[in-house]
Amino acid sequence: MDHVKMFLQEEDGVGVVEIILILVVLIGLVVIFKNQLTKLVNNIFKKITNQSNGI
């Protein structure tokens, strides 16, 4: 019975579960906003390329 009580009080795996949930949310957001993120990154690289050509 003491083993069950110790198991329920153990919190070592909580950090791993939190990290996995955060990653799932981030991946979900990337999937949902994939087109907008792609356009944003392409525009940023175009601006960098245009401004570097002017130097």
Side-chain angles (χ1 to χ4, degrees), residues 15-49:
V16 175
V17 172
E18 290 172 352
I19 292 173
I20 291 173
L21 288 174
I22 291 170
L23 287 174
V24 167
V25 170
L26 288 175
I27 291 170
L29 289 173
V30 168
V31 169
I32 291 171
F33 297 109
K34 181 181 176 183
N35 290 334
Q36 290 89 343
L37 289 172
T38 304
K39 289 177 185 177
L40 177 66
V41 170
N42 285 336
N43 286 337
I44 290 172
F45 280 122
K46 284 179 186 178
K47 287 182 182 180
I48 291 172
T49 304

